[in-house]
Amino acid sequence: MPQTIGIPRETFAGEKRVATAPDIIEKLIKLGFAVTVESGAGNGASFFDDAFAKSGAKVVGSAADVWSTSDIIFKVRAPDLSEVALMKAGQTLISFIWPAQNPDLMKALADKKVTVLAMDAVPRLLSRAQKMDALTSMASISGYRAVIEAANAFGRYFNGQITAAGKILPAKVFVAGAGVAGLAAIGTSVGLGAIVRANDTRAEVADQVKSMGAEFVKVDYEEEGSGGGGYAKVMSEGFQKAQREMYAKQAKDVDIIITTALIPGKPAPKLITAEMVESMKPGSVIVDMAGEQGGNCELTEPGKAVVKHGVTIIGYTDLASRLAKQSSTLYATNQLRLTEELCKAKDGQIVVNMEDDAIRGFTVIKDGKITWPAPPLKLPAPPAPKAVGAPVPVKEKSAFAKVISVLTMPVIALALFALIGLYAPTAFLGHFTVFVLAVFVGYMVVWNVTPALHTPLMSVTNAISSIITIGALIQIAPPLAEGLTRPDELIRWIAIVGIALTSINMFGGFAVTRRMLMMFNK
């Protein structure tokens, strides 16, 4: 008998997301599952009951109906204790859990003898687990929304303009932390025309920042900041002091600061002090994306937008929820991919295989037993370095030998050409000379084409097509001097066919170029 997946309405205040979407339900049903949705669960994300019913789900009237009749529960936010009370032994909960921050919730879930898969514990270092990585999906949306909130609170354009009324300078944006959320914020700010700077403790992200059109601001202190799982680590006091000095300098210059610094299981580090806020220009904006963990700014009030010292400080904790339809769709896709890993037989039954590194990584409770944290991933060992033997001595050529090696090929070529010239007919010699020159000229023409928007292969084929077209036109054209004969009809028709085929190739090249240019149009 297939298992039933239940989708209750989110009970967290202000949460608009829903754990699945109508088009995803159709795919879950193809995997063999039945789906039950609480009435009104998707209203905040513009997924209404009739859409869920049309996709094949059963819409029920209350949360109790969902919890009592479902074998698997999909949620976005971690359940509160009232929802835990509705659970029954043997159920499986798939949701954000944050086990390090919620020990009481973990104990309550374990007491219910359930299995819990935490969407925030997906092992991101495994490439096949990245399709299930809901943290990345939500962080990308939050970074985008942070810039939109900043633009809404900011009193000017982001991009610079020159108008009849005067010159408008572009806004300056500083992004603290260049993880997924930070890179999304950088991309959005650059797209809006702002001057963007960014910083991160991990030196390897500098190239990513630059590739997105922003300036990477380096802290004047040498220390590696990469932590496990793609996150940053807690830095030394010396680094933090140099970092605060850099932030203080940026705060005086920029118009908007977006902070994204979070380390799993720890309170958000305080990066922006009250003195820095006071030094900012009136009308500036700070968007503190770490508000849910206390905030990166000392003056942040989580869940609120406040004005202090003339600076708007936005500490919203529901940035992803403010794009509910988009975030629900991405989250639903992540949960679908996770379900596919659990139900490879496509028989409507999930199997939590604790021998699978990916599944073991996000299984925080198994049949009432707390299994978090997961053991370290068994990453493949790096290949052993090859034994380096003693270098083979290389005998240096003498100057005379070098001259001989350089002149050998030209001398041989001249000798062959002279031999042909002595014994070959005069007509053959003329044709041979034209052939050699044609090869040389053709080589120089084809391989000196610069692949700009074309790929190198397309550039070369277009150049060859152009040469073929010119040769074919010469065969079709009437003779330009007396004594020359018109080519026979077979040659003319072959030339016409050649022109037609090469024209198709060249036209295709320009069509592809146009499509590539259209990708860069806003």
Side-chain angles (χ1 to χ4, degrees):
M1 183 176 177
Q3 292 180 314
T4 300
I5 297 173
I7 316 293
R9 185 191 302 200
E10 297 296 321
T11 59
F12 190 86
E15 181 58 70
K16 297 179 180 179
R17 289 173 293 179
V18 64
T20 196
D23 58 336
I24 298 299
I25 286 178
E26 295 176 0
K27 297 175 182 178
L28 292 172
I29 292 173
K30 287 181 180 179
L31 288 175
F33 296 96
V35 183
T36 300
V37 180
E38 182 184 352
S39 179
N43 288 354
S46 300
F47 295 137
F48 301 107
D49 292 349
D50 56 346
F52 283 123
K54 188 176 179 181
S55 67
K58 179 182 178 182
V59 179
V60 298
S62 68
D65 292 335
V66 174
W67 289 92
S68 63
T69 60
S70 302
D71 304 292
I72 307 163
I73 298 294
F74 282 4
K75 272 184 58 59
V76 179
R77 295 270 185 173
D80 57 32
L81 295 181
S82 66
E83 291 177 302
V84 174
L86 296 174
M87 297 191 74
K88 58 186 180 182
Q91 275 186 321
T92 299
L93 172 65
I94 304 177
S95 171
F96 281 112
I97 298 295
W98 305 108
Q101 290 95 324
N102 295 305
D104 293 339
L105 173 63
M106 289 286 288
K107 184 178 183 305
L109 289 167
D111 290 342
K112 282 288 186 176
K113 306 298 180 184
V114 298
T115 296
V116 180
L117 309 180
M119 296 298 293
D120 48 273
V122 171
R124 307 167 88 178
L125 291 180
L126 293 178
S127 58
R128 71 185 183 89
Q130 292 173 6
K131 62 187 177 183
M132 305 178 274
D133 186 6
L135 281 177
T136 295
S137 300
M138 298 302 102
S140 177
I141 291 173
S142 296
Y144 171 85
R145 184 67 191 199
V147 177
I148 301 303
E149 295 292 343
N152 182 56
F154 190 50
R156 293 196 288 110
Y157 290 136
F158 264 48
N159 64 321
Q161 295 186 21
I162 298 177
T163 70
K167 182 179 179 181
I168 301 171
L169 296 176
K172 295 179 181 178
V173 178
F174 178 71
V175 180
V180 176
L183 291 173
I186 290 169
T188 308
S189 300
V190 170
L192 290 174
I195 296 172
V196 185
R197 304 167 189 160
N199 168 260
D200 197 281
T201 57
R202 297 161 294 179
E204 66 267 19
V205 305
D207 289 338
Q208 299 175 33
V209 170
K210 294 174 184 176
S211 70
M212 299 191 74
E215 174 190 353
F216 186 80
V217 183
K218 192 174 183 297
V219 177
D220 190 17
Y221 193 97
E222 294 299 328
E223 182 177 348
E224 176 54 43
S226 295
Y231 294 98
K233 70 175 185 180
V234 178
M235 306 300 286
S236 68
E237 181 55 39
F239 182 92
Q240 292 181 33
K241 182 175 182 295
Q243 187 182 53
R244 285 193 293 270
E245 291 173 356
M246 183 269 289
Y247 283 159
K249 182 179 178 182
Q250 292 297 324
K252 294 178 182 178
D253 185 49
V254 301
D255 304 296
I256 296 166
I257 296 177
I258 298 174
T259 65
T260 69
L262 272 178
I263 298 172
K266 298 181 182 293
K270 299 299 180 186
L271 305 178
I272 308 299
T273 64
E275 290 77 13
M276 294 180 196
V277 175
E278 193 171 358
S279 71
M280 294 181 73
K281 293 173 282 191
S284 298
V285 178
I286 296 174
V287 181
D288 192 341
M289 295 183 62
E292 196 163 4
Q293 299 300 326
N296 297 135
C297 176
E298 288 183 347
L299 302 182
T300 295
E301 295 185 19
K304 298 180 181 178
V306 297
V307 179
K308 297 184 179 180
H309 305 295
V311 177
T312 302
I313 304 172
I314 299 172
Y316 295 149
T317 58
D318 61 345
L319 289 170
S321 181
R322 289 170 179 257
L323 283 173
K325 187 166 187 175
Q326 183 67 77
S327 54
S328 296
T329 301
L330 292 181
Y331 183 74
T333 302
N334 293 140
Q335 289 212 328
L336 170 66
R337 301 309 174 203
L338 185 148
T339 307
E340 290 173 341
E341 288 292 317
L342 298 172
C343 181
K344 293 182 178 178
K346 298 183 179 180
D347 58 355
Q349 300 283 333
I350 64 170
V351 177
V352 181
N353 180 12
M354 298 297 276
E355 298 300 318
D356 186 311
D357 282 345
I359 296 174
R360 174 64 185 88
F362 54 71
T363 304
V364 296
I365 299 176
K366 179 71 165 67
D367 297 327
K369 181 183 177 182
I370 295 178
T371 58
W372 184 88
L377 292 174
K378 299 174 185 176
L379 298 176
K386 294 181 179 179
V388 180
V392 179
V394 179
K395 187 177 180 180
E396 184 69 22
K397 291 183 178 179
S398 64
F400 178 75
K402 291 180 180 178
V403 171
I404 293 298
S405 63
V406 171
L407 295 178
T408 299
M409 288 303 295
V411 168
I412 293 174
L414 287 173
L416 287 174
F417 191 77
L419 189 63
I420 293 171
L422 288 173
Y423 296 100
T426 305
F428 174 81
L429 188 62
H431 290 309
F432 182 74
T433 304
V434 172
F435 172 75
V436 171
L437 291 175
V439 170
F440 176 75
V441 172
Y443 176 86
M444 297 302 293
V445 169
V446 170
W447 293 107
N448 278 306
V449 173
T450 301
L453 288 173
H454 286 317
T455 62
L457 177 61
M458 190 182 297
S459 301
V460 170
T461 56
N462 272 2
I464 294 172
S465 298
S466 301
I467 294 174
I468 294 171
T469 302
I470 293 172
L473 287 172
I474 292 174
Q475 293 299 321
I476 293 174
L480 300 178
E482 292 185 11
L484 296 178
T485 59
R486 182 188 296 273
D488 59 35
E489 288 300 312
L490 177 61
I491 294 176
R492 292 184 67 238
W493 281 109
I494 291 174
I496 290 171
V497 172
I499 291 173
L501 293 177
T502 53
S503 298
I504 293 171
N505 186 64
M506 289 188 289
F507 177 79
F510 285 110
V512 171
T513 302
R514 177 175 174 79
R515 290 188 65 179
M516 294 178 70
L517 288 171
M518 292 298 292
M519 292 171 60
F520 296 96
N521 287 346
K522 294 184 178 179

